[in-house]
Amino acid sequence: MSNVASETMHHDEHEHHEQSFISKYIFSMDHKMISKQFLITGLIMGLIGMTMSVLFRMQLAWPDKSFPIFDTLFGRWSTDGHINPDFYMALVTMHGTIMVFFVLTAGLSGTFSNLLIPYQVGCRDMASPFLNMLSYWFFFASSVILMSSLFVQTGPASGGWTVYPPLSALPKAMPGSGLGMTLWLVSMIFFIGSSLLGGINYVVTILNMRTHGLTMTRLPLTMWAFFFTAVLGILSFPVLLSGSLLLVFDRSFGTSFYLSEIFIDGHALTNAGGSPILWQHLFWFLGHPEVYIIILPALGITSEVVATNSRKPIFGYKAMIGSIMGIAGVSFFVWGHHMFVTGMNPLFGSVFMFITFLVAIPSAVKTFNYLATMWRGNIRFTPAMLFGVGLVSLFVTGGLTGIFLGNAALDIPLHDSYFVVAHFHIVMGSSAIFGLLCGVYHWFPRMYGRMMNPQLGYLHFWLSLIGVYMVFFPMHFMGLGGVPRRYYAFTAWDQFAIWNDMNEFITIGAIIGSFAQLIFLYNFVSSIFFGKKSVQNPWGSNTLEWTAPVEQIHGNWPGEVPKVYRWPYDYSRPDAVEDFVPQNVPDDVVPVEWAGDPHGAASAHNEVSSSDAKSESVVHFSWFKKLGMRLGVL
Amino acid sequence: MNTQKNKTTPLQTQPQIMENQRLILWLFMVASILAFGGLTSAYIVRMAAGNWYKFDIPSIFTWNCVIVIASSASMIWAYRSAKNDELENVKYGLWGALLLGIAFTLLQFMGWNELNSQDIYFSPRRSDNGDLTPLISGSFFFAISAVHFVHVIAGLILLLVTLVKAYRWKVHKKNLLTISLASTYWHFVGILWIYLFLFLKYWN
Amino acid sequence: MLHFNMKKVFALLTVILVFGFGAFAADMTKDPGFTNGEKLFKTNCATCHALDKKVTGPALRGVTSRRKEAWIIKWVKDNAALRATNDPEAVAIFNEYKGVQMTAFGNLSDGDIKNILVYVENAPAPAAAKAPVAAATDGGQPAEDTSAWVYVLLAILLFALLVLSLSIESKVSKLLGKELINWNKINAIMFPVMLIAGSMYIYHYFTKYAPYTYFSVGAGTEHGKVLDQMFMVTLTITGIVFILCQFLAFTFPYFYRHKGEGTKAFYYPHNNQIEFWWTIIPSIVLVSLLVYGLKTWNGITMQDKPQNAYEIELFARQFDWTVRYAGPDGKLGKHDYHKIGGANFVGMDYKDVASHDDILNVGEVHLVVNQPVVMNLRSQDVIHSAFIPNLRVQMNAVPGIPTSQIFTPIVTTKEMRARLQEEHPNDPAYNTWDYMLLCNKICGASHYLMKMVVIVETKEEYEHWLATLKSPYQAENPVVVPATDTVSTNKTAALK
């Protein structure tokens, strides 16, 4: 037994050697440094994606105006101050790919899972710091490869971030389907590798490395959210990998997985028997869980921030866990709702519609729980709290329009219209981004030991909230007027002219919203160097990351790892002096259960068994492992 | 600030499902299963759409199933020997598994060649009379078995690593993790082959 | 002695001829070829070409002085074939446009192409038309630009002022040892303020833009009416939830803000009863909506083909839509993509006799009111999608996998125009309104221009129009009609 223990302890040995610049800052295996790497890369990619959106929105709003900046930035992809239609498609594609994967998946999960998991479960670092380091560098490689596709002769991938074949399989169909698409696929392969490595690490650390007294039902909701996010990733990204592999084969080896009966550029291609719809199945099998991979961490962060800043327990902790499980589980069976108008068997449409409606229920439960947490709270408006409340508002708006789209019949006139663009931008592009920003404001002191400027934070929030509602709310009406998405201009029909004013309004909103993000970036960067030094627990929070010293150290805690005696939501307990009781406060100082709470919020009792004292350096296995060992399989 | 490795800190008293590295391996295998799930689902869906060319799978692939079983048996012997500190047998067992694994590789290539000689290719080929052979069933067979083969290579590397460790006398009763993980993964790759083989042979 | 100054004579002759030609040229816009050419240009070429600027393809004005007419005809009909002969000009253009190929217009005859060229060369030059406008905008534009810059400058100034005042406030606060401004209260108050502002904003948008959504004039199909009703029901239910949740989300922050030292929150971690209720009630509501939706979905997608339905096929390719009518035999002929070429650019398989009377038309489709139609879809190259919003119809066109949707238009184009004019009395645009068919699946650079006009009309009008169309097979293989007094009914579509 002890030899196993020593093997899992070996990573502590590197605490004792001096770290070079390279091993401390570049190829760091410390989860705190890796989380910053994910954050910085994610923010840079976000800036690029956001700039792309402002530029193509300018083209949309003022199609007759000539913008010299397009010629400067895009060179031959722009003509007389107008973006070329095929490059417009490329910008839209890159914007979607960058935002969905690089900002909202890696930038959100990668940052906060890495930062918080070892801290909040009470261990020194991830289960495998080496794989963790690889996970970041695969992500970095993926980013570089994707960005490089902007500079190739035929341009980047341009078939939308969903890259449906045959468009994405045939370089003759659009220039972006040439080398640019190959680079997109290579970038995704690295990205999937990064996600898998990260996700596996997160799952193992949360399951296996919790500190003394930290049962699963004493974990903060951030941990539950990140855990299920990682599980979703492990189960769904491999299917995209398979699908992408088949696309690579079709593009480069003449196979016919997705291609059939195609006549292009004067030739009838020899591909036969393939189905473009097959790609859609394989893509959306990842694609739908992907959006939950995006929103779950944001929701977990919101739980934490709203509870801490309302000085109240999160309402319905167990229900919240159940909702996370429900959302995660159901999300695997709804992918077909992206394919209602592909001509697939209507029976499948019915099944997918049915299950899609089910996933609305746990989402609603979570929303009500957030509101109930704020009810009769003692709310302190940090910038993080503002973004948390903003997320709730946006989640409600975006989630409700999902009910229209999930209805297969209603989807017939709504699919691929601006109504859909409004829906996913509000629920994902705004709500989840607010979660990211909420997390940055809240955990900035933990990451950098300093505080961000709160007033700039307030300004950032209000401008952002106004910005996103300005940009995305009007789009619903455009969708209900029959305006399709991914259109370079609306000149084909006179009846689209009525939306010109709205297009301008939306673009102005986008410019305001983007400007607000610049305020945030200034605040973020300047606070790293000049921000007010933080105290150890600036928010009066209960979770374990705030029990570590302000100056980050390798191994997180200077002495022992804290032991946990209670759940993380003892805020404003009537029988406590302070309005918060951190998890590591022993039960002789403040009792675990409050006599006035009949159901016992922290119902798990602290086991102080005598055997613990003896088995100090020994790993203690569960019944599962013991059975496996007895059977000789584990 | 330097941290001290505090020997009195209990590692964790929360039960572990299994050791970290083992759980990491299992999660990776789960991901792999999902990837093959995607490929085999694609196969099933495509097959149901009709126009599916049935061909006989060369018997070499059946022989490979036997080799897989033999290789796993050798691996089990190696592990048991390690548990009993029979260090010479550990090496023999590992060699057996490795050599049978290489034999598997060779037979796979022979099998693929045999399919090519029967005009079943991964990608369409023009034959002498100008006909193209876009046999999607062939493409699927090659794609699935090739992806499996990539996993075999990873397994061979793991075996090699364990073998090197064995030669350094580091695989024994008190140091079973490496051989245990290599063994688990090797069995996984083997069972995966048998499942895929049966699937490709009988699900058409 | 009659010595003519030859130079002067030639000069005079040239002047006469030029003016003559000029006069003659000016008449070209009245030439029927011009009108036909303009129509053909707008249907076939406008997706990728403009006259005076580069869009997807090059600007076309003056093309006859750049290329020979015979070459142009070959290029337009099948540019791939021309390139295959290694024609240097053809290859050069292809490479210049980054290897994106132009559609092959096998449907255009030599005469059609010549007409198009007449239009291209003689359409009124926008430079002349635009000059006064340009002058105005030139004069106006700087003013416009200046005003935009003024706003930007103002915004920067405002922001600078804001930052300055904030830094002063924080310094003074530090000095005094307490917060000058109660930021918590300000943020708390902002929420109900935003609630009011947001409500006004939403109300404004609904009142201003709801009339422009397609609900305001009703759906053009049977099932569309059902969908619209279901939309309204869903909107009502989700609207109530929306208002309730946003109200709480924007008032709770104000009511439950930190009110000063000594205030404490109410420790209330859970309530299983209320969790139960707010799980069950949404579930019941959602399941009801679900059942309603399922019934409608099944009704639309799983219906048997009605007795009196007629079949059409929409053929999609980069970047146009072609309708194929079944002809007098009422049957669409089989198709084979290997046969695509020339006049048979949709790839009908002429081995199937049923295809001989099939009729093609690019860019415009006519449908009969109150009669169910089976809209079959096929694609030549990539996934396209036929989206007819006012009919509430949408279906992908997938290469290799034919799809179809059955629907019944119930409002003619004329009637829809009347409804629109009633809804928007001051807007003359609706005089020329049409049902639009848009491509709704990204398909390449000209995706946004890939359109088809849909006309819903009475049966008589429809048959009248159909009689003007040609069947490619019969055009190439004219049937010799014996001189009898039975009128050939080749060109009339029989509706079963």
Side-chain angles (χ1 to χ4, degrees):
Chain A
M1 290 285 205
S2 56
N3 59 336
V4 175
S6 69
E7 285 202 55
T8 51
M9 275 282 275
H10 79 277
H11 68 266
D12 280 341
E13 287 165 10
H14 64 223
E15 293 166 24
H16 292 293
H17 58 247
E18 273 299 303
Q19 292 198 287
S20 67
F21 180 85
I22 299 244
S23 69
K24 194 169 176 195
Y25 291 107
I26 312 289
F27 294 110
S28 169
M29 299 203 285
D30 184 315
H31 72 99
K32 305 182 285 295
M33 181 56 69
I34 293 173
S35 88
K36 286 180 209 169
Q37 290 175 319
F38 269 106
L39 180 61
I40 306 286
T41 310
L43 286 178
I44 292 175
M45 292 300 268
L47 188 62
I48 295 174
M50 181 181 85
T51 308
M52 287 178 173
S53 71
V54 171
L55 292 170
F56 68 66
R57 271 243 57 104
M58 281 163 62
Q59 172 63 46
L60 268 179
W62 300 292
D64 294 325
K65 245 210 186 115
S66 164
F67 292 101
I69 189 167
F70 292 156
D71 291 332
T72 320
L73 279 176
F74 303 139
R76 64 195 156 86
W77 296 110
S78 160
T79 308
D80 291 331
H82 301 277
I83 305 179
N84 292 352
D86 46 4
F87 195 67
Y88 175 88
M89 296 280 91
L91 286 175
V92 162
T93 304
M94 293 295 275
H95 166 80
T97 307
I98 289 173
M99 292 306 205
V100 169
F101 289 116
F102 292 79
V103 179
L104 287 172
T105 307
L108 183 51
S109 289
T111 304
F112 294 105
S113 297
N114 269 302
L115 177 69
L116 295 176
I117 291 178
Y119 271 131
Q120 289 191 346
V121 305
C123 67
R124 305 254 177 225
D125 207 308
M126 289 286 191
S128 171
F130 176 70
L131 290 185
N132 209 20
M133 181 271 289
L134 273 189
S135 140
Y136 171 71
W137 284 102
F138 273 33
F139 169 57
F140 181 80
S142 168
S143 309
V144 167
I145 294 171
L146 189 72
M147 288 293 105
S148 75
S149 72
L150 284 169
F151 301 103
V152 300
Q153 174 73 9
T154 45
S158 322
W161 79 280
T162 49
V163 289
Y164 286 178
L167 184 62
S168 62
L170 303 170
K172 291 236 155 59
M174 73 192 313
S177 295
L179 179 58
M181 185 59 202
T182 305
L183 288 172
W184 189 97
L185 285 166
V186 174
S187 166
M188 280 328 294
I189 291 173
F190 274 97
F191 185 86
I192 293 171
S194 162
S195 291
L196 283 177
L197 288 170
I200 289 177
N201 238 333
Y202 309 151
V203 168
V204 175
T205 310
I206 291 177
L207 285 181
N208 256 10
M209 297 174 71
R210 284 167 284 125
T211 183
H212 178 124
L214 187 51
T215 57
M216 289 298 283
T217 49
R218 283 177 176 177
L219 281 172
L221 282 169
T222 40
M223 293 296 99
W224 280 101
F226 296 158
F227 175 74
F228 278 102
T229 302
V231 170
L232 278 180
I234 293 172
L235 295 177
S236 54
F237 272 112
V239 177
L240 178 64
L241 188 63
S242 296
S244 301
L245 210 61
L246 297 183
L247 185 57
V248 168
F249 293 157
D250 271 7
R251 286 167 54 80
S252 310
F253 296 104
T255 52
S256 301
F257 293 107
Y258 303 127
L259 304 176
S260 178
E261 288 186 34
I262 295 177
F263 187 95
I264 194 162
D265 195 29
H267 302 288
L269 299 184
T270 54
N271 304 86
S275 165
I277 308 298
L278 176 62
W279 163 265
Q280 294 187 32
H281 282 294
L282 293 172
F283 179 86
W284 286 114
F285 188 85
L286 161 83
H288 194 82
E290 168 67 17
V291 311
Y292 291 107
I293 289 172
I294 288 174
I295 198 67
L296 281 180
L299 293 174
I301 289 173
T302 303
S303 297
E304 199 48 43
V305 168
V306 168
T308 305
N309 288 302
S310 302
R311 316 308 288 158
K312 264 191 79 189
I314 191 77
F315 189 84
Y317 173 71
K318 292 245 169 82
M320 289 297 237
I321 295 177
S323 303
I324 293 175
M325 286 185 183
I327 292 174
V330 174
S331 74
F332 277 105
F333 303 104
V334 301
W335 80 86
H337 68 224
H338 301 271
M339 298 165 61
F340 283 141
V341 296
T342 56
M344 70 174 175
N345 188 336
L347 184 61
F348 291 159
S350 307
V351 172
F352 283 121
M353 165 159 56
F354 173 73
I355 305 179
T356 302
F357 269 65
L358 292 185
V359 86
I361 300 169
S363 312
V365 167
K366 288 191 86 70
T367 308
F368 301 145
N369 278 308
Y370 290 131
L371 294 172
T373 306
M374 287 199 286
W375 174 72
R376 294 188 69 176
N378 184 12
I379 303 175
R380 166 188 61 197
F381 290 105
T382 63
M385 180 61 177
L386 292 174
F387 277 100
V389 179
L391 181 149
V392 173
S393 165
L394 289 164
F395 188 62
V396 167
T397 313
L400 288 174
T401 51
I403 293 177
F404 293 83
L405 295 166
N407 184 331
L410 282 181
D411 191 52
I412 294 176
L414 294 176
H415 176 79
D416 263 11
S417 68
Y418 261 83
F419 193 90
V420 178
V421 178
H423 163 73
F424 66 71
H425 274 101
I426 292 180
V427 77
M428 187 166 68
S430 307
S431 189
I433 290 276
F434 272 39
L436 173 69
L437 295 169
C438 173
V440 174
Y441 278 107
H442 190 76
W443 280 292
F444 189 89
R446 178 68 273 156
M447 293 173 95
Y448 293 104
R450 292 173 185 264
M451 306 293 282
M452 287 178 78
N453 180 315
Q455 285 82 13
L456 286 181
Y458 306 147
L459 186 63
H460 172 216
F461 169 71
W462 290 109
L463 282 179
S464 297
L465 188 70
I466 292 169
V468 302
Y469 271 117
M470 263 183 88
V471 174
F472 299 116
F473 183 72
M475 287 186 182
H476 294 103
F477 295 94
M478 282 175 76
L480 295 172
V483 181
R485 65 186 283 207
R486 293 169 168 167
Y487 261 35
Y488 169 74
F490 305 114
T491 47
W493 299 93
D494 292 336
Q495 37 189 297
F496 283 158
I498 38 159
W499 306 110
N500 288 345
D501 284 343
M502 185 181 273
N503 259 326
E504 284 192 34
F505 178 79
I506 292 174
T507 299
I508 293 173
I511 292 174
I512 293 175
S514 305
F515 176 67
Q517 308 319 305
L518 296 180
I519 299 177
F520 163 75
L521 283 172
Y522 165 76
N523 192 1
F524 179 76
V525 176
S526 68
S527 301
I528 292 178
F529 301 104
F530 308 115
K532 186 172 91 162
K533 287 232 160 64
S534 166
V535 299
Q536 187 177 339
N537 190 355
W539 313 122
S541 173
N542 286 340
T543 42
L544 290 180
E545 71 271 23
W546 304 107
T547 63
V550 178
E551 294 296 324
Q552 293 185 326
I553 53 170
H554 204 40
N556 297 344
W557 289 274
E560 281 184 28
V561 170
K563 297 186 195 146
V564 162
Y565 296 89
R566 67 192 66 249
W567 75 327
Y569 297 111
D570 272 343
Y571 291 106
S572 302
R573 264 183 60 163
D575 63 334
V577 175
E578 296 281 343
D579 72 345
F580 69 105
V581 186
Q583 285 188 278
N584 63 338
V585 168
D587 39 5
D588 49 348
V589 176
V590 177
V592 174
E593 285 173 35
W594 170 43
D597 178 12
H599 301 290
S603 50
H605 298 281
N606 284 318
E607 293 136 22
V608 186
S609 58
S610 55
S611 59
D612 284 345
K614 289 190 207 121
S615 58
E616 278 182 0
S617 60
V618 166
V619 173
H620 144 198
F621 291 122
S622 70
W623 65 267
F624 183 88
K625 167 75 173 172
K626 286 185 196 152
L627 178 63
M629 277 164 41
R630 200 166 295 166
L631 291 176
V633 289
L634 286 179
Chain B
M1 273 169 85
N2 205 355
T3 62
Q4 288 177 346
K5 195 156 61 166
N6 192 330
K7 289 206 170 67
T8 61
T9 310
L11 255 184
Q12 39 261 336
T13 57
Q14 289 305 303
Q16 281 201 324
I17 298 178
M18 56 182 89
E19 307 93 311
N20 285 354
Q21 290 92 323
R22 192 184 303 278
L23 187 52
I24 290 175
L25 179 66
W26 272 103
L27 288 173
F28 173 74
M29 295 193 301
V30 165
S32 189
I33 291 172
L34 260 296
F36 280 102
L39 288 174
T40 48
S41 305
Y43 178 102
I44 293 172
V45 166
R46 172 63 191 84
M47 201 189 85
N51 248 335
W52 184 258
Y53 180 80
K54 284 194 202 186
F55 56 89
D56 289 323
I57 300 195
S59 55
I60 289 186
F61 293 110
T62 320
W63 280 111
N64 252 346
C65 291
V66 175
I67 289 184
V68 155
I69 294 174
S71 183
S72 277
S74 184
M75 195 66 210
I76 292 175
W77 179 43
Y79 181 75
R80 291 248 172 92
S81 307
K83 250 180 135 175
N84 294 331
D85 270 343
E86 295 161 15
L87 300 188
E88 283 303 313
N89 287 345
V90 169
K91 283 191 246 168
Y92 294 146
L94 286 172
W95 270 116
L98 185 66
L99 289 172
L100 285 166
I102 293 173
F104 177 90
T105 307
L106 290 170
L107 259 67
Q108 287 289 81
F109 276 100
M110 282 167 64
W112 289 329
N113 272 323
E114 164 121 17
L115 279 174
N116 282 349
S117 66
Q118 290 172 18
D119 256 352
I120 313 279
Y121 295 96
F122 168 55
S123 71
R125 296 286 173 88
R126 230 173 245 292
S127 56
D128 292 327
N129 60 3
D131 287 337
L132 228 70
T133 52
L135 295 169
I136 193 73
S137 51
S139 297
F140 266 109
F141 185 92
F142 278 97
I144 291 177
S145 53
V147 172
H148 173 262
F149 180 65
V150 168
H151 286 74
V152 170
I153 297 184
L156 290 173
I157 294 174
L158 266 183
L159 283 183
L160 212 60
V161 164
T162 316
L163 198 59
V164 166
K165 257 190 146 171
Y167 271 92
R168 293 189 185 160
W169 311 114
K170 287 212 173 134
V171 180
H172 50 78
K173 184 157 70 177
K174 295 226 186 295
N175 208 345
L176 286 173
L177 189 65
T178 309
I179 191 170
S180 174
L181 295 181
S183 174
T184 305
Y185 183 73
W186 192 245
H187 295 320
F188 163 69
V189 162
I191 294 173
L192 188 59
W193 170 250
I194 295 178
Y195 158 72
L196 288 173
F197 169 77
L198 290 172
F199 175 84
L200 290 168
K201 191 170 169 73
Y202 293 113
W203 194 303
N204 50 16
Chain C
M1 229 160 33
L2 278 171
H3 278 292
F4 296 115
N5 185 329
M6 286 316 284
K7 268 201 200 151
K8 279 202 179 138
V9 167
F10 273 123
L12 193 60
L13 263 174
T14 314
V15 168
I16 292 171
L17 284 171
V18 164
F19 271 112
F21 273 126
F24 180 64
D27 282 332
M28 286 306 279
T29 55
K30 306 235 175 23
D31 187 302
F34 179 89
T35 327
N36 188 34
E38 182 177 11
K39 185 157 111 32
L40 288 169
F41 180 88
K42 293 212 163 111
T43 311
N44 294 286
C45 319
T47 318
C48 302
H49 289 287
L51 292 176
D52 300 290
K53 62 173 182 167
K54 178 180 142 192
V55 194
T56 308
L60 289 183
R61 195 185 293 279
V63 65
T64 48
S65 50
R66 295 194 290 271
R67 318 259 177 216
K68 296 206 185 56
E69 189 180 83
W71 183 94
I72 295 175
I73 291 178
K74 271 202 228 144
W75 169 268
V76 168
K77 282 189 157 174
D78 192 343
N79 68 90
L82 187 59
R83 279 185 282 119
T85 65
N86 284 323
D87 179 296
E89 281 181 78
V91 174
I93 297 180
F94 182 72
N95 290 334
E96 189 191 329
Y97 283 83
K98 289 179 279 288
V100 177
Q101 84 290 357
M102 176 169 141
T103 315
F105 289 99
N107 56 312
L108 297 174
S109 66
D110 289 15
D112 284 338
I113 298 176
K114 288 186 186 158
N115 284 343
I116 292 177
L117 290 174
V118 168
Y119 166 74
V120 162
E121 299 299 8
N122 293 290
K130 263 197 183 164
V133 179
T137 48
D138 266 346
Q141 269 217 335
E144 242 189 76
D145 279 346
T146 337
S147 73
W149 281 113
V150 167
Y151 285 130
V152 173
L153 226 70
L154 226 77
I156 295 180
L157 219 69
L158 215 74
F159 181 67
L161 231 80
L162 199 66
V163 172
L164 198 67
S165 35
L166 282 177
S167 61
I168 292 177
E169 186 263 346
S170 75
K171 289 211 165 53
V172 175
S173 294
K174 232 201 270 194
L175 232 64
L176 291 178
K178 69 169 177 116
E179 242 192 357
L180 252 189
I181 301 178
N182 186 344
W183 288 108
N184 211 53
K185 194 155 187 205
I186 293 197
N187 278 313
I189 291 180
M190 279 294 283
F191 277 99
V193 166
M194 276 297 136
L195 181 65
I196 296 171
S199 309
M200 286 166 55
Y201 170 68
I202 292 177
Y203 177 77
H204 166 78
Y205 258 88
F206 265 97
T207 45
K208 182 166 180 194
Y209 285 105
Y212 290 104
T213 62
Y214 44 54
F215 297 117
S216 61
V217 285
T221 49
E222 292 270 15
H223 75 270
K225 283 167 59 178
V226 177
L227 288 183
D228 284 2
Q229 191 177 50
M230 185 158 56
F231 186 93
M232 292 306 158
V233 169
T234 312
L235 182 65
T236 309
I237 295 175
T238 52
I240 292 172
V241 177
F242 174 79
I243 292 172
L244 182 68
C245 289
Q246 300 290 7
F247 180 79
L248 294 179
F250 282 86
T251 51
F252 279 4
Y254 177 72
F255 286 122
Y256 303 116
R257 69 193 184 280
H258 172 69
K259 295 187 184 72
E261 287 303 313
T263 54
K264 207 168 183 185
F266 175 46
Y267 184 82
Y268 193 59
H270 64 161
N271 179 332
N272 290 338
Q273 272 274 14
I274 203 176
E275 292 279 3
F276 172 78
W277 285 112
W278 72 33
T279 309
I280 271 291
I281 294 178
S283 305
I284 293 175
V285 171
L286 282 167
V287 169
S288 323
L289 273 177
L290 172 66
V291 169
Y292 184 11
L294 277 172
K295 275 183 61 188
T296 313
W297 170 253
N298 291 344
I300 297 173
T301 58
M302 303 211 211
Q303 55 182 300
D304 295 320
K305 177 174 156 182
Q307 282 280 22
N308 59 342
Y310 62 107
E311 304 236 1
I312 64 171
E313 179 191 81
L314 292 182
F315 182 77
R317 61 178 181 172
Q318 290 178 321
F319 294 100
D320 61 28
W321 292 94
T322 304
V323 59
R324 178 158 70 112
Y325 287 102
D329 67 354
K331 269 180 57 176
L332 288 166
K334 293 208 176 75
H335 52 85
D336 178 355
Y337 76 111
H338 293 102
K339 304 279 193 312
I340 292 177
N344 183 11
F345 60 94
V346 304
M348 288 182 277
D349 189 351
Y350 289 145
K351 282 202 223 103
D352 179 10
V353 180
S355 70
H356 292 181
D357 62 352
D358 289 356
I359 297 165
L360 301 181
N361 191 52
V362 180
E364 186 171 304
V365 59
H366 288 227
L367 301 172
V368 182
V369 69
N370 294 324
Q371 186 159 1
V373 60
V374 179
M375 178 182 76
N376 296 290
L377 290 162
R378 258 198 312 136
S379 170
Q380 172 182 288
D381 38 32
V382 299
I383 302 182
H384 298 273
S385 185
F387 178 42
I388 315 173
N390 291 90
L391 295 180
R392 314 289 187 270
V393 164
Q394 181 169 189
M395 180 57 71
N396 287 173
V398 183
I401 306 182
T403 54
S404 69
Q405 189 159 48
I406 305 177
F407 60 94
T408 307
I410 53 176
V411 182
T412 59
T413 300
K414 284 206 188 89
E415 199 193 312
M416 198 54 104
R417 284 183 186 168
R419 289 188 191 182
L420 283 161
Q421 276 150 9
E422 207 187 295
E423 184 78 19
H424 309 279
N426 300 321
D427 203 332
Y430 292 108
N431 293 340
T432 50
W433 182 94
D434 271 313
Y435 282 109
M436 41 182 189
L437 186 153
L438 307 128
C439 178
N440 203 12
K441 195 53 85 179
I442 181 172
C443 59
S446 284
H447 169 58
Y448 69 108
L449 290 173
M450 187 172 154
K451 68 186 224 187
M452 184 179 225
V453 172
V454 178
I455 309 243
V456 177
E457 54 196 359
T458 62
K459 192 146 129 188
E460 295 75 34
E461 290 166 328
Y462 167 85
E463 288 183 2
H464 182 77
W465 176 77
L466 210 59
T468 65
L469 301 179
K470 315 190 275 273
S471 130
Y473 182 83
Q474 283 170 356
E476 287 178 353
N477 306 280
V479 173
V480 174
V481 179
T484 63
D485 49 1
T486 50
V487 178
S488 157
T489 51
N490 272 356
K491 295 261 167 82
T492 323
L495 300 165
K496 291 232 176 87

